[in-house]
Amino acid sequence: MSRRPTRSSPRSAKGKRKRPKPKHTPRPSRRPAAPAPAVVVSAGALCWRLREDADGPEDLDLEVLLVRSARWGDWSWPKGKIKPGETLPECAVREVQEETGVRPLLGRPLPSVGYVLPDGRDKTVTYWAAQALFTTSRSAQPEEIADAVWLPVQEARVLLTRPSDLPPLEALMAHARAGELDTRALVVLRHAKARSRAHWPGTEGDRPLTSVGRSQANALPGLIAVWAVDHVLTSPWARCMMTLLPYLRERSPAADPYQGVEVLPLLSEQGLRNHPERVPELFHSLLTERAGSWLVCTHRPVLESVMGALAKACTPAALESLPAANPWLGTGEALIAHIAGAGQIVAVERFRPEVRS
């Protein structure tokens, strides 16, 4: 007699414990995503000069300075990666001097360049037009830079390896044709961070820098030196004098640091209140009558009059970069106005060294 097949039932599983179902289905483990490649930040300059047989800037017979990489064999502009604590202008000056031996005097900014490195990282290079202050021997290692040569613009355009290096050159030539390549600098500096007005028992003119302000002042010499200023003007109040002191000491280590500095009471807050019309008059004269490059150190309340005077001399493009509202500049921040011709501001930049608070 055949037996019917039996079905499993709770009785047939008597004595066995059921495993509880997991509340959540476990997900397969994921490996952490690889960090995105860092952007390489670099700076350099297109150094230019007139050929010996050129009659003047309008001749457009310019030579520019190129370098050839020993590793890759490519021709490009002198440039290099920024170091910790550097501003981009300081990086540009250092790298050009290391790679070519030329100490550049930075002029107006040129278009930046971006491209992808062989390892996949993005690289950005900020460029300036520049003239040579002096020339020394190159300090770059032979395995880095094989050659540095001055070439006519037409030859340089053909020799450049990367098409992305052409826009700065085309901009440089456009500025030359417009008579706006040969510029001088007016550096306007807001003093470094000072003690609070409410907690300072002394006079307003004696209010000193804080510890952060002293660090800001100590970070400024390299930045200011980029433009090799010929003349220094300052408010006589302590916080301006203290802001300038580290730069003045580096500029003239063997002399009285304030020797040759023009101290003007009208650049103080009280001077502005006493003679509000004189600050615009001063800056008009700096732009149109006084030759050379200038550094002016003053206070936030004075900056409104300063910016108003500068705005009247700006091209439309430069005006877009001019601060338009209070506080105008941060403590220890420098504004650089690039002046061409008879006093027209053709470019404006702002830089503030990083300081740990």
Side-chain angles (χ1 to χ4, degrees):
M1 180 174 167
S2 63
R3 294 182 179 179
R4 292 192 307 179
T6 59
R7 293 183 301 175
S8 62
S9 65
R11 287 184 179 180
S12 63
K14 189 175 181 180
K16 295 184 179 179
R17 300 181 64 182
K18 293 184 178 180
R19 294 182 180 179
K21 294 183 179 180
K23 295 182 179 180
H24 301 287
T25 303
R27 295 179 179 179
S29 60
R30 293 181 179 178
R31 305 177 75 177
V39 176
V40 178
V41 179
S42 302
L46 275 65
C47 297
W48 64 272
R49 69 184 184 186
L50 290 174
R51 298 185 66 177
E52 293 182 358
D53 55 350
D55 296 328
E58 68 281 355
D59 191 287
L60 298 188
D61 200 359
L62 301 180
E63 293 181 332
V64 287
L65 184 59
L66 271 69
V67 294
R68 181 167 62 89
S69 167
R71 182 179 182 184
W72 306 108
D74 59 326
W75 287 93
S76 62
W77 310 116
K79 62 187 179 298
K81 292 186 292 187
I82 195 168
K83 290 184 176 181
E86 276 187 327
T87 59
L88 284 169
E90 292 173 89
C91 173
V93 169
R94 176 182 55 77
E95 286 289 344
V96 171
Q97 189 164 354
E98 287 178 359
E99 293 187 355
T100 69
V102 170
R103 166 53 166 96
L105 176 61
L106 296 192
R108 62 183 302 170
L110 297 173
S112 299
V113 168
Y115 53 92
V116 180
L117 295 171
D119 61 7
R121 292 179 298 170
D122 291 326
K123 182 172 183 177
T124 61
V125 189
T126 303
Y127 284 113
W128 284 264
Q131 297 185 65
L133 278 179
F134 54 82
T135 302
T136 62
S137 59
R138 291 192 291 130
S139 58
Q141 298 298 319
E143 60 268 20
E144 296 176 0
I145 300 298
D147 204 359
V149 294
W150 288 95
L151 292 173
V153 168
Q154 294 80 359
E155 294 183 27
R157 185 183 283 112
V158 174
L159 193 59
L160 284 169
T161 302
R162 296 188 189 87
S164 60
D165 278 338
L166 285 172
L169 179 62
E170 301 304 335
L172 183 142
M173 293 303 295
H175 298 326
R177 294 187 189 98
E180 298 177 353
L181 179 58
D182 191 359
T183 60
R184 57 190 179 90
L186 169 59
V187 182
V188 179
L189 176 65
R190 181 182 170 186
H191 66 73
K193 187 174 180 61
R195 291 278 299 273
S196 166
R197 297 175 192 266
H199 298 94
W200 174 244
T203 66
E204 184 63 16
D206 293 334
R207 186 154 58 91
L209 300 182
T210 63
S211 58
V212 171
R214 291 192 295 272
S215 296
Q216 290 176 330
N218 289 331
L220 282 169
L223 176 63
I224 298 173
V226 163
W227 292 281
V229 294
D230 301 304
H231 312 283
V232 180
L233 302 176
T234 183
S235 160
W237 286 8
R239 48 195 182 273
C240 282
M241 303 289 279
M242 293 176 68
T243 298
L244 289 175
L245 186 57
Y247 163 70
L248 297 174
R249 281 176 171 162
E250 288 199 13
R251 187 177 76 156
S252 303
D256 174 7
Y258 294 107
Q259 184 177 349
V261 175
E262 192 172 350
V263 180
L264 296 180
L266 71 92
L267 289 172
S268 68
E269 296 177 34
Q270 186 61 52
L272 176 68
R273 289 191 290 267
N274 293 342
H275 304 284
E277 76 288 349
R278 291 185 60 192
V279 171
E281 291 174 356
L282 169 66
F283 277 83
H284 177 75
S285 72
L286 295 179
L287 292 170
T288 61
E289 301 170 13
R290 304 197 191 190
S293 56
W294 294 79
L295 167 64
V296 181
C297 187
T298 189
H299 310 261
R300 179 188 56 79
V302 183
L303 289 175
E304 182 174 5
S305 292
V306 173
M307 298 306 163
L310 298 183
K312 294 179 180 179
C314 282
T315 63
L319 188 60
E320 292 181 2
S321 300
L322 194 73
N326 188 42
W328 315 105
L329 296 173
T331 55
E333 185 175 16
L335 178 146
I336 298 86
H338 297 278
I339 308 164
Q344 187 177 50
I345 299 174
V346 295
V348 172
E349 302 180 278
R350 296 166 61 179
F351 297 100
R352 188 185 192 189
E354 292 185 9
V355 174
R356 293 182 180 178
S357 57

